[in-house]
Amino acid sequence: MSFADGGRARIVVGVDGTLESRHATTWALDEAMRRKEAVELVHAYEYPPPLLPFYDSATELGEDHLRQVAREAMSREVADTGAREPGIAVTGEVREGTPIEVLLDAARDARMLVLATRGTGALGELVVGSTGTALAGQAACPVVVVPSPAETAAHTAPGPVVVGVDGSSHGQAVLRQALEEADLHGLPLIVVHTWRRMPGGLSVPVEEQRRRFRPEQVSHELVVSEALAGAGQRFPEVAVTAWVREDHPVRALLEVARSRSASLLLVGARGSGGYPGLALGSVALGVLHHATCPVCVVPD
């Protein structure tokens, strides 16, 4: 699926002047450089303003003054971002409205929307927040949530791309996005597929449960093989490894991503068991709140 065929290919970044926001912009710059596409920085302006670095110099002079402060801050952000990658076209825009409304509109025909996490919670897990999860569940393009530098472990070399597949038609779109990213960055791809058996109860002997396990394993390995059929012809340079196990999908995806120091983890907005009315599926939510690498949520 291409999300920018109808206009100028670009990557949209939600910015607010924070360190986390600038780290997300750096990630987007690298992606844009590899794709040779433009970057558009977007800031949602509300009055009265939130407590963000964009408004450090604001006074009590009213809405017009605060809007000007935001625009001046955006000008500095664009200049700084453009200086880091002179070959990339960087633009910036300050729009009035809530972050969800503004960024959904800005990213309607974008290649992807890049956001930062809000930091780390008291229990050591990431805090994505209602805005990030709403955007990941509603955006028409892939949404990438980038952890702050403090949340991302330093690695001497980039790790693989990791993707979760479930055998659904939407899972194929997620897999295509993952293959594209792995090919673009010259990285291997790990395809994760899990399943969960219904409890057999006390009436099913242990030996019988073990006897049934192997056919189930083989059938789920077949799901992955069918999903990957033809991938070698489309992306011959990508080394693909399958990871198939009986496990909870969130736990499995996080385990593989952390143990392999993943560069990017991709999931669908809603899996095969999701409901169309849900803003975001449980697997995507779980991964977003606990992953320590960038997470890409691919829309239906």
Side-chain angles (χ1 to χ4, degrees), residues 6 29 59 120 230 267:
L29 270 176
T59 66
T120 304
V267 292

Side-chain angles (χ1 to χ4, degrees), residues 72-212:
E72 290 173 356
M74 177 60 81
S75 295
R76 293 191 296 271
E77 198 86 1
V78 169
D80 176 68
T81 302
R84 283 184 273 166
E85 289 293 347
I88 300 298
V90 180
T91 59
E93 186 174 3
V94 174
R95 299 190 189 186
E96 293 190 36
T98 66
I100 294 175
E101 294 170 339
V102 167
L103 291 172
L104 283 177
D105 183 66
R108 278 184 301 174
D109 59 349
R111 172 74 63 190
M112 64 178 61
L113 172 61
V114 180
L115 309 168
T117 61
R118 291 172 49 193
T120 304
L123 298 179
E125 63 184 34
L126 302 187
V127 182
V128 178
S130 58
T131 297
T133 53
L135 288 168
Q138 298 179 49
C141 65
V143 175
V144 178
V145 178
V146 181
S148 71
E151 297 155 1
T152 308
H155 303 293
T156 56
V161 173
V162 176
V163 61
V165 299
D166 58 12
S168 67
S169 57
H170 176 50
Q172 284 296 114
V174 182
L175 178 59
R176 284 195 299 271
Q177 182 78 24
L179 284 163
E180 180 181 327
E181 290 294 333
D183 185 59
L184 186 69
H185 291 265
L187 297 173
L189 175 67
I190 301 177
V191 179
V192 177
H193 174 76
T194 67
W195 83 94
R196 303 184 75 185
R197 287 182 293 175
M198 295 298 291
L202 297 176
S203 60
V204 181
V206 173
E207 289 302 319
E208 174 65 14
Q209 294 183 38
R210 289 174 179 171
R211 188 182 65 80
R212 295 178 184 178

Side-chain angles (χ1 to χ4, degrees), residues 47 65-66 111 133 136 171 179 207 211 234 243 255 270:
Y47 186 84
H65 176 72
L66 293 175
R111 172 74 63 190
T133 53
L179 284 163
E207 289 302 319
R211 188 182 65 80
R234 298 193 304 272
W243 196 96
E255 177 186 332
R270 281 163 291 277

Side-chain angles (χ1 to χ4, degrees), residues 193-197 213 216-218 220-221 244-249:
H193 174 76
T194 67
W195 83 94
R196 303 184 75 185
R197 287 182 293 175
F213 175 80
E216 288 184 352
Q217 174 79 15
V218 171
H220 286 280
E221 288 173 351
V244 182
R245 181 180 297 182
E246 181 186 7
D247 200 352
H248 190 284

